[in-house]
Amino acid sequence: MSQMFATRLDRTRSLMADQGVDVLLVSVGADLPYLTGYEAMPLERLTMLVVPVDGDATLVVPALEAPRVVERPGVFALRPWGETDDPIAIVADLVGAADTAAIGDQTWARFVVDLQDQLPRTRFGRGSAITSPLRSVKDAHEIEMLRRAGAAVDRIAGRLRSGEIELVGRTEAQVSSELGRQIRAEGHQRVNFAIVAAGANAASPHHEPGSTVIESGQGVLCDFGGTMFDDDRVGYCSDITRCVWLGDPPSEFVELYDVLFEAQAASVAAATVGTPCEEVDRVGRAIIADAGFGDYFIHRTGHGIGVEAHEDPYIVEGNETALVAGHAFSVEPGIYVPGRWGARLEDIVVAAVDGPDPMNRVDHALAVIDA
Ligand code: ZN
Ligand code: ZN
Ligand code: ZN
């Protein structure tokens, strides 16, 4: 479906024109598959899409990678380079006399530095100034992909909650591998992360699953997600967090979890079109703070999600961006008591005219498993 990429490039060019950008340069990272359906290997050989504001796009690729490119007539021309060619010179030639270039945020510094050397008259800015406003607002197809990916991790979370995924007696790392296998089995092509944090380890939001053996009498936090590709080779991410308690949960933990549950639901409900991102954060944070846990909620409420696991818009104090229909983001407050325990509750939500549209619908209550 070359039409989708042609449309995305048209919209890219009109944003470039608005911002006075003469050329967009896109290398490794999610912008390239979003615009072309091709993902560059993160290698020392340069891959770069050159998009002039008023001309045809060219994809400069190492010749040995060219067979992996699905050519899309009318979207971009392919310019393979051989092992003894100078790809920087090829790109510089395509950039020509451009005064202003926007270059992908994740482009390796070595390429940026070399391009700046060869293009002393060109002013460089961040590519995300162009691509982020485009990528952050999802169309119907993208929302459908996020919904499919969300439903897939929901099924895994359901098996976690029911006790079908064995926890007691296994290490965090073993459960993490199991989640990874299930993420693939449920239709993702890539596993992005599978955090499993037992007991006090759950007080570290991004705990690395390790050799800790999971025991009865503990809470376990699982936060996992992957990337699911569409027919055009563009991938969309899932991301979910659920907590279970093995055995009888102490009343103190139940109270903490109830506060978290209420805060998360309130932030989701607040995520209506027109609401500033920071307000979504404030609503849940106030509930957590009022319950006395404010100092234990140590991160923003959420991040945008799409072709990348973390992208705009960020749900954080200071982000005054008003939600528009199609914004997709996580709502994931957490309460982390160092040395003791922690909990987080996360859904992906899409802002829609009819109200917040959650991509994750598996039960939010604390799952209590006989153990
Ligand atoms: Zn995180
Ligand atoms: Zn997550
Ligand atoms: Zn997340």
Side-chain angles (χ1 to χ4, degrees), residues 198-216:
N201 290 342
S204 169
H206 283 170
H207 173 70
E208 179 82 21
S211 56
T212 303
V213 176
I214 300 169
E215 294 168 4
S216 180

Side-chain angles (χ1 to χ4, degrees), residues 193 223 239 303 310 330 332 346 348:
F193 52 85
D223 180 352
D239 187 0
H303 52 82
H310 287 193
S330 70
E332 51 176 310
E346 172 178 29
I348 302 306

